[in-house]
Every structure is written in structure tokens, then in C-alpha cells.
Amino acid sequence: MPTYSSEAEFLAAYNIHDYSVPLSSVDVCIFTLHHQQLKVLCVKRSDYPFKDRWALAGGFIDIKNDADLKATALRTLTKKTGITTPYLEQLVTVGNQTRDPRGWSMTAVYFALIPYVALPQTGIERSEWHEVNFALNLDLAFDHQQFLSMALERIRAKVLYSLIPAHLISAPFTLTELQQVYEIIMGHEIEKKSFRRRLEREEVLTATGQSKQEGAGRPAALFTLKPECADFNFKRQLESD
Amino acid sequence: MPTYSSEAEFLAAYNIHDYSVPLSSVDVCIFTLHHQQLKVLCVKRSDYPFKDRWALAGGFIDIKNDADLKATALRTLTKKTGITTPYLEQLVTVGNQTRDPRGWSMTAVYFALIPYVALPQTGIERSEWHEVNFALNLDLAFDHQQFLSMALERIRAKVLYSLIPAHLISAPFTLTELQQVYEIIMGHEIEKKSFRRRLEREEVLTATGQSKQEGAGRPAALFTLKPECADFNFKRQLESD
């Protein structure tokens, strides 16, 4: 190994192609709520490897244009959905010799929550929203089924103490609409009174002053999530209130 | 872009060096308890970039020999400490254009908890245990100070509902020794009775049948963590018992 007299000299001689390096990508589990179901964006692969198989959205890091991993995730999400401001969270990073037939591959996996949008079909790859349990049975490409399971586990854990379900619906929303998202993710009904009490106690919502007719009786007030509460965590879990 | 008639043909033509790819590494915050202090393993860099600066342990992925990211983390840890069975957890992955002067760099950051060992000084890089607050002021190389802060935050959050402090001391241990680790990480004393009650209630420890003299009075019983409880999470936080 040559020795260098300065960092500048060392850097001038450095060439990543002198080394054997892994493939580096970002995958994104993009979730929404549609027709009272939690759905995930699936992409039918138009190319090898895993041609014609369903997969999560994702792609290689573009080191010329992506400032960081989050930029890669956002670029993927925006290209598939048109949405530019999702709730976006890093889930896990998986890297090993076997997950990609092209070679040692490392992928940073994110999950995103967005209000429902119809998917623009611009690229050569077909995108579709699939109900999550249906998607789990699609024999997804690579190890994407494992990522989808992990993302669902994380969301179901976080729903108990966070406001992340609010990102799955358009704002403004009524408290009933918000409660329904929690119930869909949790798979059972929750107690209205304690649900509303915890929201009031922590002052995480803004009343818009507008309202919406939700059936008989008084119109229901419409709320938005306070921007600073996008990541808010309650101190106690929903069911131990 | 050429088209291929099969995945095998596509793979045969695939060459990662046709692409601009990031550097890929693994960094490990290795923690132990020594002289009643939480300490982190720091390495004085012997080479560019950041020559002569303290850093966390870490290195590039060796795609020929590392089966997966965890193997890279373990290889780093074992080389520095001789320990082969740490508590090891993925913390975060950071990738961006600016963190490494050699170019776009992606690193999977782990943290490890091990009982204290004197550090073998075999390589050309000097390794030392530094008390964590001292280490935070060392102007660590790359973005390692940020990783150390994040690891401390994760450990301090997990101490409230997990058994991870047990991995910082040698087994078997007395309940007093275990409680002390919790108190050192939390920065204050905790109530002995409720601490012991939660351990008993969940049956997470095995009594070895041995005991140890800890001062005047009866000898204190010695315990080990049940192997299946290495990752155990209590349902409620320590201080809300």
C-alpha cells in the first residue's frame, strides 16, 4: 500500500473502482388508506432480475443527483405517486451476499405514509395499490416480503403511541375519520372517549373552524395535525390509557 | 440499453463497475461498563482520511468474506475486542454526499454492548475505552459524534423497558450489580423493590444456585439472563411501574 504525505494526496489517488463494493439501493414501502383498507404500492418489474414479479418501489442510489438516502427515497416516491411531502421513516438496512443475483447488495428500506392518490402510469413499470395482506401473498421480488412484514409490524407498534395514522388520510379530517384509520390498522374498534381525550390532552390537532356533515346530527369539526406533531409520541400506549 | 432474453444472460453481462456507486461501510459503537462508567470504544485513525483523529470502530464491507452486514459488524468488533458474542443491534443507516471526503458514502451503524475487556493492541490503530461524555467531546472523525449521540439516546430509551443493561456486565451477576448498571445509564437511583418485582414477575433471569458476598449479611444470589430473554421488552416502562 502506498503512503501519502497529506489527505489531499491520498484523496487524489483514491478510486472506488480499485475495490470490490456492494450494490447500494433504497426501497420504499409506500402505504395509503383506500376503501377502508391499508394498501401498499407494488410495482411490476419490467426488467431483470425478477422480471414480471411484483416488488416494492425502489432503485439504486444516484450519487450524482441524490444528496442523501432520504433524497433517493423521496425521488422514488415522487416518481411513483406525484407526492412530494410524505411521512417518511427509515425502517432497516439489509445487506448480504444472497438477496440480489447481481451480487452483494445493501439496501436502506424506508416506509412512507401518504393520503390516497390514483397512481400515474408514466414509466414502463406498472404500479398498483394492493391491500397489504394480498401483497404479502404476491411472492414479491428480492426479500421485499420481509420488508413489507417488518414495515407492518413497525406501523402496528407505532399506532399505539403515535399520530402516524393521520398521514394516511387527507387533511382536514374529522375525529371520526381519524379514529377509523387507527381502527383499520389495529384491526378492532377503540373507545371513542379515551381516544378523543388523549388527542385533546396533548393538543396535537388544530381545529380549522370548518365542519362537515357526517350523518344525522351536528356537523363534525374538521382538524389538521399540527406540523410540529408529525412525529409526536404519546407517553402511554393507546390501550393502557 | 441492451435487451436480454433471460435473467442468466442479463446477469452474465452485469458489471457493477459500469456504474457510479457509493462507498459502503459499517460502523459500530461498542459500549461497556468499567469503573462504574459507561464507556465507548474509540480508535485513533492511523490513515487518511481523518488521520490521527479518534473515531468509532468500523470499516468497509468485505464482499468476499462478509456474508451480511452483521458479519461485517461482528468482524470489526471481534478484531478490536476479542469478543465474539456481543449484544448487537442496528441503529441507523446514514448515506450522503458529504460525510466522507472520498465520495458518496453509505454506512450502516450498529451498537454493541459487551462486558468489560482490556483491549488487545494488535493492529496499527490504537483502541481505547473512553467515558461516553468524554468521547462526545473528542471531535470524532466523519459524523461519528452524531452516531454516538444517537446510540446513547437509543440505549437510554431502551433501558426503561428492556434488559439490555445486563449485556454490559459479566454473568453471573447479583441483582444489586444489575440494578447499578441501570442506575448508571439512567443517571439516578431507582427503587429496589419495584426493580426486583418486575424481574421476578417476568421470569427473565435464571438463578445459578451460586452466591457472592456483597458486604455484611447474607451472600447475594447470582443470576444469568435467560438466553431467550436477550431481547425481552417489558410492557411498561421502568418508572411507570
Side-chain angles (χ1 to χ4, degrees), chain B residues 5 38 54-55 64 66 74 81 98 132 138 170 176 204 220 224 238:
Chain B
S5 61
L38 185 63
W54 290 102
K64 303 239 167 28
D66 298 337
L74 271 175
T81 67
T98 54
V132 292
L138 277 177
S170 313
T176 304
V204 288
T224 58
L238 193 51

Side-chain angles (χ1 to χ4, degrees), chain A residues 5-7 14 17 19-21 23-24 48-50 63-64 66-69 90 93 95-97 104 236, chain B residues 5-7 14 16-17 19-21 23-24 48-50 64 66-69 90 93 95-97 104 236:
Chain A
S5 61
S6 72
E7 179 149 328
Y14 190 86
H17 285 167
Y19 304 92
S20 293
V21 293
L23 300 160
S24 301
Y48 298 109
F50 298 105
I63 66 170
K64 302 235 166 34
D66 298 338
D68 54 25
L69 290 174
Q90 194 179 89
T93 295
N96 60 51
Q97 280 173 338
W104 220 107
R236 280 183 180 270
Chain B
S5 61
S6 73
E7 179 148 326
Y14 190 86
I16 191 178
H17 285 167
Y19 304 92
S20 293
V21 292
L23 300 159
S24 301
Y48 299 108
F50 299 105
K64 303 239 167 28
D66 298 337
D68 54 24
L69 289 174
Q90 194 179 88
T93 295
N96 60 52
Q97 280 174 338
W104 220 106
R236 281 184 181 267

